[in-house]
Amino acid sequence: MNSEFWRQRWQRGELGWHEDDFNRHLAEYWPGMAVAPAARVFVPLCGKSLDMLWLAGSGHPVLGVEISEVAAVAICDENGLSPRIADEPPFRRYAMDEIEILVGDFFDLTPAHLAGVGAVYDRASLIALPPAMRPRYAEHLAALLPAGVQSLLITLDYDPVRMAGPPFAVAADEVEMLFSPAFDIDSLASFDVIAESPRWRQRGLDWLKEHVFRLRRRS
Ligand SMILES: C[S@@+](CC[C@H](N)C(=O)[O-])C[C@H]1O[C@@H](n2cnc3c(N)ncnc32)[C@H](O)[C@@H]1O
């Protein structure tokens, strides 16, 4: 699964993961993280998530990274935002008032790009990556973040025998395995959402869980 796969998904408008409202777990669990009020929040693999607007509206400058420029243009157009656009190879920066998006590859980010980041909001990133890429994702995220930074992580789990991803199933055990070398992990909640999601039943699933975690980068 490479960058081209995702660029084509955006070109074709195949955005099954996108939520037309703020994520309910963000509103419920973010306040309990006690992130400093004006801390800059990093949103990896951000898509055109409205959660960036929720975070900005809560006083957090936001830095997203997204491989598809179509996504960056869409979040501006759909929300009446006028970006200042600057080429900063290997990225192109879309800067709005409180939201900046680096268009490019997450794996090209360096700690300098994340200067001033005090927290992370990470929904639907791991489920976009096939199993073999996830250890690299977790290691790169750890390398980007200073000690003490917390992340609200939201993943999806189902019986992988019944459906091929993406979205890929990511079990709670795997989150533990991926992140425990560099992060303290609290499991905050798990919800079976299959009853709300008839399209997943049609794809053969009989359960579908959302897991919510708090990670804290260790020193
Ligand atoms: C499943 S979507 C989730 C988007 C967003 N987090 C949300 O909750 O709506 C995954 C996103 O990651 C982007 N993506 C995939 N690989 C990437 C990479 N290596 N670097 C940056 N973005 C990437 C895709 O284009 C897609 O928008």
Side-chain angles (χ1 to χ4, degrees):
M1 190 142 301
N2 56 23
S3 320
E4 204 38 45
F5 170 88
W6 290 105
R7 290 201 186 95
Q8 285 179 13
R9 291 286 297 252
W10 279 98
Q11 289 293 349
R12 294 197 293 257
E14 294 172 356
L15 311 176
W17 65 82
H18 180 71
E19 296 183 311
D20 290 329
D21 204 347
F22 304 131
N23 184 277
R24 57 186 159 175
H25 305 315
L26 174 61
E28 181 158 1
Y29 293 102
W30 188 264
M33 305 233 305
V35 171
R40 192 178 192 211
V41 178
F42 175 50
V43 182
L45 282 60
C46 63
K48 58 172 186 174
S49 171
L50 294 177
D51 298 336
M52 291 189 281
L53 275 71
W54 187 92
L55 288 162
S58 304
H60 297 290
V62 170
L63 175 70
V65 66
E66 167 55 51
I67 201 82
S68 167
E69 189 159 9
V70 173
V73 171
I75 195 160
C76 297
D77 290 353
E78 292 169 14
N79 297 286
L81 305 172
S82 302
R84 298 176 303 284
I85 301 172
D87 280 327
E88 300 176 14
F91 294 99
R92 174 172 287 180
R93 184 183 297 268
Y94 276 61
M96 288 73 85
D97 287 343
E98 291 300 324
I99 300 176
E100 291 190 317
I101 296 178
L102 291 174
V103 175
D105 192 333
F106 166 82
F107 294 102
D108 286 335
L109 288 171
T110 66
H113 289 114
L114 268 68
V117 161
V120 179
Y121 173 65
D122 189 341
R123 171 191 176 260
S125 301
L126 285 174
I127 63 160
L129 302 171
M133 283 181 75
R134 292 178 210 148
R136 190 173 159 225
Y137 175 85
E139 282 162 22
H140 194 62
L141 187 64
L144 291 172
L145 298 175
V149 168
Q150 297 184 83
S151 171
L152 186 68
L153 172 68
I154 302 173
T155 66
L156 205 56
D157 190 17
Y158 57 82
D159 180 354
V161 171
R162 290 182 167 256
M163 189 179 95
F168 296 103
V170 179
D173 287 357
E174 184 180 348
V175 170
E176 182 72 29
M177 194 184 69
L178 291 170
F179 291 102
S180 59
F183 294 86
D184 294 328
I185 304 170
D186 291 320
S187 174
L188 300 180
S190 288
F191 304 90
D192 190 338
V193 294
I194 193 75
E196 304 164 20
S197 316
R199 70 187 166 118
W200 299 111
R201 277 202 199 281
Q202 285 156 16
R203 288 183 70 176
L205 302 186
D206 50 19
W207 59 270
L208 177 70
K209 281 190 183 158
E210 287 177 348
H211 295 306
V212 186
F213 301 90
R214 174 173 51 195
L215 312 184
R216 186 177 178 281
R217 180 75 170 97
R218 278 198 304 276
S219 43

